[in-house]
Amino acid sequence: MVNHFVGTKKQLKVKNIIENSMRIIMLPITFPLFILRWLAYNIEEIMFGLEKYVYEPIVDKVSTLVAKKF
């Protein structure tokens, strides 16, 4: 980002300190938002993986078990 702030050296130093401290403060807020955004973006692939590798084997095992009972 281009910085258009014009000021004395002391003002620039204070501004940089405030910006850096705000970045550190905002990190715990932005990290969960990043995770949620990633989940929302990849939800289709996640659901496909769950269906293929979790739900289908469970359905197959349950149906085999029930069919063996009859």
Side-chain angles (χ1 to χ4, degrees):
M1 178 185 275
V2 178
N3 190 356
H4 296 292
F5 181 75
V6 178
T8 63
K9 288 183 181 181
K10 184 177 180 181
Q11 289 172 333
L12 289 172
K13 185 176 180 180
V14 169
K15 181 180 182 296
N16 287 334
I17 291 171
I18 292 172
E19 284 179 352
N20 291 336
S21 61
M22 286 183 70
R23 285 188 184 109
I24 293 170
I25 291 169
M26 295 297 289
L27 183 62
I29 297 170
T30 56
F31 188 70
L33 293 176
F34 173 76
I35 296 295
L36 289 174
R37 193 173 80 199
W38 179 84
L39 284 173
Y41 182 75
N42 293 314
I43 195 75
E44 182 180 0
E45 288 84 9
I46 292 169
M47 292 306 290
F48 176 75
L50 281 176
E51 181 180 310
K52 184 175 181 181
Y53 298 111
V54 177
Y55 300 142
E56 285 183 15
I58 290 173
V59 169
D60 188 42
K61 288 178 183 177
V62 169
S63 63
T64 304
L65 182 68
V66 170
K68 286 182 181 180
K69 296 290 182 182
F70 288 103

